[in-house]
Amino acid sequence: MKHNEGILIVVSGFSGAGKGTLMKKLVQEYAGYALSVSATTRAPRPGETDGVEYFFLNKDAFEEKIAEGGFVEYACYCGNYYGTPRDYVEKHLMEGRDVILEIEIQGALKIKEQYPTALLLFVMPPDAQELKRRLTGRGTEPPEVIKKRMERAVEEAEGVEEYDYIVVNDDLEQCVKQLHEIITAAHNTPFRNETFIETIRAELNVLAKGEK
Ligand code: ADP
Ligand code: 5GP
């Protein structure tokens, strides 16, 4: 059985949970995923390159793109805009690819409205202390931004039940494997295989009649 329709996959999680690290490994280890690159108005971190981690836009350019309908969704997170470029998502879904959006919860809910069959995954840290350790240990945000992001995590935690699955990012390799397994299993849900099911039904009808 070949499944030809791509799945729109949303990956969210608290800042520092390891989403970026997981997505990088997932696309390295498993072929075929199309990882969307978002646009943002936040400043690049050391080592980040325009067009790789994000498209870095100023506020005016971002708002112009909003006005043009250039985003499938966008949201404000801790004082900056983040948005998913429409072209990339639509093109790759049309080609039957699995498209991954690594986005926060407000954006995830907007995607769910527009694409009710999207698969929503939430990355959890093993515990809250470890989350703070990772966020601090990354060394990319000053203490006041870390505080804002931890406060935002408290709010985001209220929305976890909106997601289809949670995955705990304790052992990185294990978590990447689990993400891939969940996505693989999602391809086998009946509602994503209606054409195949109808074909089998029709074949069974023909065969059963012939055996009267
Ligand atoms: P996010 O994208 O969710 O904000 P990152 O991918 O930047 O998080 O990860 C935050 C920090 O935690 C990084 O320094 C990263 O190397 C580290 N990290 C990610 N996953 C793990 C893990 N499974 N175990 C230990 N450290 C991790
Ligand atoms: P960071 O600044 O750590 O890269 O990202 C901050 C938050 O913005 C993360 O939760 C990340 O998933 C989210 N994010 C990244 N891109 C997008 C996007 O295109 N749309 C939305 N809604 N959130 C995004």
Side-chain angles (χ1 to χ4, degrees):
M1 177 183 67
K2 175 84 180 80
H3 181 85
N4 293 316
E5 232 172 88
I7 301 181
L8 184 55
I9 301 149
V10 170
V11 177
S12 301
F14 315 127
S15 185
K19 304 176 296 296
T21 311
L22 287 164
M23 292 308 103
K24 212 169 150 192
K25 260 196 147 349
L26 183 73
V27 299
Q28 272 170 5
E29 290 183 13
Y30 301 96
Y33 288 118
L35 180 61
S36 166
V37 177
S38 295
T40 184
T41 57
R42 87 148 160 74
R45 293 174 185 146
E48 286 185 333
T49 310
D50 187 43
V52 177
E53 286 81 10
Y54 284 103
F55 295 104
F56 295 98
L57 304 181
N58 64 34
K59 194 163 173 266
D60 286 348
F62 198 102
E63 287 177 346
E64 206 171 297
K65 201 165 157 94
I66 295 175
E68 289 166 358
F71 294 119
V72 202
E73 64 72 37
Y74 69 92
C76 201
Y77 171 92
C78 293
N80 283 300
Y81 279 130
Y82 293 81
T84 305
R86 182 180 296 284
D87 295 355
Y88 182 91
V89 172
E90 291 181 349
K91 175 177 180 286
H92 288 87
L93 281 179
M94 290 255 288
E95 288 171 4
R97 301 274 299 274
D98 284 348
V99 177
I100 304 181
L101 312 181
E102 191 246 279
I103 63 177
E104 53 69 72
I105 190 163
Q106 305 164 77
L109 297 181
K110 288 183 210 155
I111 292 293
K112 198 174 166 177
E113 268 173 35
Q114 290 175 66
Y115 298 87
T117 61
L119 178 66
L120 270 62
L121 312 177
F122 198 95
V123 176
M124 286 283 199
D127 58 64
Q129 270 301 339
E130 174 63 11
L131 179 73
K132 190 153 184 216
R133 232 185 336 264
R134 286 183 191 172
L135 192 47
T136 313
R138 188 169 67 191
T140 50
E141 277 82 22
E144 64 274 17
V145 176
I146 291 180
K147 186 166 182 294
K148 258 200 215 169
R149 287 178 174 235
M150 289 298 292
E151 285 165 4
R152 184 67 194 136
V154 173
E155 294 166 359
E156 289 177 332
E158 291 303 311
V160 176
E161 283 90 348
E162 298 289 339
Y163 287 74
D164 296 307
Y165 293 94
I166 60 166
V167 287
V168 179
N169 178 22
D170 192 352
D171 178 82
L172 187 70
E173 283 294 339
Q174 269 302 111
C175 190
V176 169
K177 190 164 169 272
Q178 197 178 30
L179 283 165
H180 180 67
E181 284 168 356
I182 291 170
I183 297 164
T184 304
H187 275 282
N188 291 335
T189 49
F191 80 86
R192 293 194 177 92
N193 291 278
E194 280 172 355
T195 310
F196 174 67
I197 294 166
E198 284 308 323
T199 306
I200 292 282
R201 282 183 180 140
E203 286 173 4
L204 282 171
N205 268 317
V206 171
L207 270 189
K209 273 184 193 136
E211 282 171 13
K212 262 197 295 209

